Each structure stands twice: as C-alpha cells, then as structure tokens.
Amino acid sequence: MTHPRHLVLAVMIVTGVAAGQAQSNSDMNDLAERYVKLVLAMGQHDGDYVDAYYGPEAWRAEAEGRPLTLDQIGAEAGALITELDRTATVPDPDELVQLRHQYLRRQLDALQARVGMLGGRSLAFDDESSALYDAVAPRHPDSHFEDTLTRLARALPGQGTLGDRYGAFRVDFVIPSDRLDQVFEAAIAECRRRTQEHVELPAGERFTVEYVTDKSWSGYNWYQGGFRSLIQVNTDLPIYIDRAIDLACHEGYPGHHVYNVLLEQHLVRERGWPEFSVYALFSPQSLIAEGTANYGIEVAFPNEERLAFEREVLFPAAGLDASRATEYYQVQALVGQLDYAGNEAARRYLNGEIDRAAAADWLTRYAMMAPARAEQRTRFFDQYRSYVINYNLGKDLVAAFVEARSLGRPENRWAAFAGLLASPRLPSGLQD
C-alpha cells in the first residue's frame, strides 16, 4: 500500500517537473523570438539570407525600420548563445524538445559565421561548410570520376568528345517548351498523390508554378506561409524529361513544400516554436531541407516505379519516344555517379585554386555539364558558395538516417522520412 506522504511527494515531483518544463519552454520561446529578429536583421544586409518568413509582420517591420549593423547582430548572437548555454533543458521524454535546444544553438553559430563572412572574413571551402551547414563533404580524386567516365564512354560510343556524345544523346529527351507546363502538371499530380498516401497534409495546402529566366538555379521554392508555396522553374536552358519528376518532387511533394508545411503545422502552430517561422538559408537547416528534397525523389518513386510512370505518362505527354526511357535512365544513372564533381569544382574555385573558366571546364569534363550549364553553375558558386554540399551530401546523410530508422524495410521508409521532415534535427544528428 502506498503511504499518503509518498503520494504527496510524487505529486510534488510531477508538478515540479511540469512547471520546470513550462518555464523552460517559455525561456526558449523568448530566445527563439530574439533569434528570429536577428535573422530578419541579417536579411537587411544579405538579400539571400531570409529564404522564408511567415511570423508576425511587426517583427519584419522592426527589422526594416530599425536596422542593426553587422557588429550589433554579431554581438547579439553571441549574447544569445551565452544565454542559451545557460538555459538548462529539463529532462523530457519528447525528443523534439531536446533537439530544439541543439538546433537553435547551432543555427546561432551559423548566423555568427555568416556575419563574419559578410564582414570580410574568408574561410576555406570545408571550414565554411562546417560553420554554416554543420557538415563537410568528402573529397574525391580525379580518378574517382574517371572510372565513371570510362563506363559512360562505353555506353555512348561514337565520334567526338564524350561531352559532345552525351549532348547529342540528350537532345532527343528535351521537353518541348509548348508541352512543359503539361508535363510538369502531370509530374506534380503524381508526386502529390504518392505523398498523400503516406503523409497527412493540412487542408488548403497548395503551391503555384511560375516559369522564369536569368537565374543561377534551375528551380526554387519560395514558401509563403499558410501552407502555400510559390515554385519557380528556370527556363534559360533546355529542360530534359528527368527534370520533371526531379523538380516536382524536390520543390514540391515530398520535398521543400511538404517540409515547410510540416514544420509550420507541427512546430509553429501546434507547439508555438517561433524559430521555425523563419528559414535562414545559410544555416544547417538547408542541408536537411535539400537532403530530404533530393532523397524524397527516391522515396516517392522507388525502384522501377519511376521508370514505369515516365514511360506510360511523362514521355507521351512530352511527345518523346517512350521506348527509349530505359536507355535514357541507364545513362542518367551513370551520370548521377558524378554528382560530387560539382563539389570538387566549387571547392577548388572558391579556395582560389582554379579560376572561373577552369571551374566551368572541370564541370564540363567531370560533371558532364554542357558549357552553358557549367557557366550557370559557376554563377551559383559565386552566389551560394559552399551551399552546393547540401544537395549530394545532404541526400546521402538523409538516406543513411532514414534507412537506419526504417530497419531496412521499405514499408517503414515513409514514416521515418516524414518524421525527419517535421523535426528540428541537425546534420550532425543524422550521423548519431
């Protein structure tokens, strides 16, 4: 029989823990609000920094009306880090509460690093990616790519350079401009259908698509808040058939759009965590965002399912020869093994080891990019720098994390993937 005094003590302990958790959440929300305002203040110095914001308009107006200097932002970020380190995290069975504290701390570290960069501090490529994205991409020697190029050359026999042969091969798989919207709409609809089978999305979520030019990127998701996105597709260069599903998944379902929707729904609205109402582009959050967006393509279209859908729906919609779908994706699978060549080009270029022309040549030779695409990519390096690691390294880290959580069972993959989308996990936490 339990003694009454023991019951009283147990109630006092439970009540004390609950009170401590409530106070900790209040303290964190105060710090998080100050973090959001600092990110908005950074946006006054760096036009790319604030990728999305849907918090109180008064905070945005404050950032615009009373702008802070970089020195003030750096000092305030340092003070926030000190206070955050002093804020004890009360033991909580909810893993997200613990992850939240770690996330905010690392986001502030990245903010300080970006302040330093804008102030003139120069970082080597790997030091920069570590400071901003909580990760460092592996290095690959030229021989790593040469082996793949040798196999690709066997798959594309003929006259001329390998780049010329690859370019000639791909000509037959360009989506005609007058069919582009039709193909994208079909791809988006299927990506959404497959995602909705496994992920509960809030009512009213949607996005619109715009076709733009003169950008350094091929596609971009501008999250608007309220479960809505604007997705822009760059039409400067030819768009090949594989980009339809890639962009529909990456920018939409189950990629960036779903990622932002789930953060807004579960962390901002349900939990009241204000730090997720703003997305600082040059931060660890971007590796999670880009990694899940790229890996989400494989989650939505596993094994042969993508090829079947392309052959039956997208190739006909584009007016392309569906009988060549298998051939096309066999070649694309080899080219996909060259993904890390872009990192090597960026690393060498941004470290000052090669100039822009040499970086473009490297991309043309080792990443199989057409010269115009390679030149566009060097402009991306100038604008976004070490951000490039988030696509390939991010995908690899997310894939390893999700597969481990899935226990090797494909039927568990969606649940593990959706759980990651709605959490404040850091890149370094993917490797735990």
Side-chain angles (χ1 to χ4, degrees):
M1 179 177 179
T2 304
H3 194 283
R5 284 182 300 180
H6 293 168
L7 287 174
V8 171
L9 181 59
V11 170
M12 290 175 64
I13 291 174
V14 171
T15 302
V17 170
Q21 290 171 341
Q23 181 61 48
S24 177
N25 186 61
S26 176
D27 291 342
M28 283 293 294
N29 280 352
D30 289 342
L31 295 175
E33 177 180 331
R34 289 163 59 189
Y35 161 77
V36 173
K37 291 180 177 180
L38 282 182
V39 172
L40 295 176
M42 274 290 288
Q44 301 304 303
H45 296 271
D46 182 349
D48 292 320
Y49 196 75
V50 181
D51 192 75
Y53 176 65
Y54 49 90
E57 280 303 312
W59 295 1
R60 194 201 308 267
E62 179 182 334
E64 295 172 352
R66 295 197 299 273
L68 301 179
T69 67
L70 286 174
D71 286 343
Q72 289 173 322
I73 295 171
E76 176 62 15
L80 265 178
I81 289 171
T82 299
E83 291 184 49
L84 186 63
D85 288 345
R86 291 173 180 166
T87 302
T89 54
V90 177
D92 195 302
D94 185 348
E95 181 188 28
L96 296 191
V97 172
Q98 305 299 320
L99 292 176
R100 181 193 187 190
H101 192 280
Q102 299 165 17
Y103 171 89
L104 188 55
R105 176 65 163 81
R106 193 63 184 81
Q107 290 288 113
L108 282 165
D109 287 340
L111 189 152
Q112 274 199 316
R114 187 65 178 175
V115 167
M117 291 173 63
L118 293 185
R121 184 186 179 196
S122 179
L123 293 173
F125 183 88
D126 289 343
D127 293 334
E128 178 185 310
S129 72
S130 177
L132 296 181
Y133 308 116
D134 195 33
V136 175
R139 290 175 176 266
H140 292 92
D142 293 5
S143 59
H144 172 82
F145 307 110
E146 293 285 3
D147 291 344
T148 300
L149 293 176
T150 298
R151 295 196 299 275
L152 188 59
R154 288 198 291 266
L156 296 171
Q159 301 298 312
T161 68
L162 179 56
D164 290 341
R165 280 142 49 200
Y166 179 57
F169 170 78
R170 293 192 87 194
V171 165
D172 293 336
F173 301 95
V174 174
I175 304 173
S177 58
D178 62 343
R179 294 179 180 243
L180 191 59
D181 193 56
Q182 174 187 350
V183 173
F184 268 111
E185 287 297 328
I188 290 167
E190 182 65 9
C191 291
R192 187 174 193 270
R193 184 190 70 79
R194 287 169 176 258
T195 299
Q196 283 190 306
E197 287 183 349
H198 303 278
V199 181
E200 184 177 353
L201 299 175
E205 63 77 24
R206 65 180 178 84
F207 64 74
T208 56
V209 178
E210 288 183 354
Y211 299 98
V212 300
T213 59
D214 195 27
K215 303 295 181 183
S216 65
W217 36 257
S218 58
Y220 211 108
N221 178 300
W222 303 98
Y223 190 66
Q224 314 283 291
F227 308 136
R228 298 184 179 184
S229 294
L230 167 64
I231 293 176
Q232 293 183 326
V233 177
N234 186 5
T235 59
D236 282 341
L237 301 173
I239 298 179
Y240 298 92
I241 189 64
D242 55 300
R243 296 299 290 158
I245 281 182
D246 284 354
L247 287 174
C249 283
H250 182 101
E251 307 296 347
Y253 306 97
H256 290 326
H257 176 68
V258 173
Y259 172 68
N260 284 295
V261 161
L262 294 183
L263 289 181
E264 180 177 0
Q265 180 183 23
H266 296 299
L267 301 188
V268 177
R269 297 195 181 197
E270 293 177 4
R271 291 177 178 264
W273 292 355
E275 64 268 39
F276 294 96
S277 66
V278 71
Y279 176 5
L281 187 69
F282 302 108
S283 74
Q285 184 178 2
S286 282
L287 185 139
I288 303 296
E290 301 295 359
T292 52
N294 269 354
Y295 181 62
I297 300 168
E298 296 179 12
V299 174
F301 288 89
N303 302 322
E304 297 297 313
E305 292 182 26
R306 173 172 181 165
L307 182 59
F309 179 73
E310 296 261 10
R311 185 188 298 114
E312 295 166 11
V313 178
L314 295 190
F315 272 66
L320 303 180
D321 183 357
S323 69
R324 299 187 65 193
T326 298
E327 175 192 7
Y328 181 69
Y329 279 101
Q330 286 173 342
V331 170
Q332 289 305 104
L334 285 172
V335 175
Q337 296 175 25
L338 301 170
D339 277 351
Y340 276 87
N343 288 7
E344 293 301 329
R347 180 185 280 118
R348 298 177 191 195
Y349 172 57
L350 295 173
N351 283 348
E353 299 169 20
I354 57 177
D355 62 13
R356 178 189 300 278
D361 287 344
W362 171 273
L363 291 169
T364 299
R365 177 176 180 181
Y366 289 106
M368 297 305 296
M369 291 184 185
R373 177 75 178 96
E375 192 281 329
Q376 182 191 63
R377 197 60 174 170
T378 62
R379 289 193 286 128
F380 186 94
F381 296 163
D382 287 334
Q383 186 172 358
Y384 297 104
R385 298 182 58 80
S386 62
Y387 192 94
V388 295
I389 75 159
N390 295 325
Y391 299 102
N392 41 38
L393 178 62
K395 176 186 175 181
D396 288 347
L397 292 177
V398 167
F401 177 84
V402 170
E403 294 303 324
R405 291 295 178 101
S406 303
L407 302 176
R409 298 174 182 171
E411 64 271 20
N412 297 337
R413 184 179 295 150
W414 270 106
F417 180 74
L420 176 57
L421 289 177
S423 77
R425 195 173 296 276
L426 290 166
S428 54
L430 296 178
Q431 304 173 64
D432 292 343

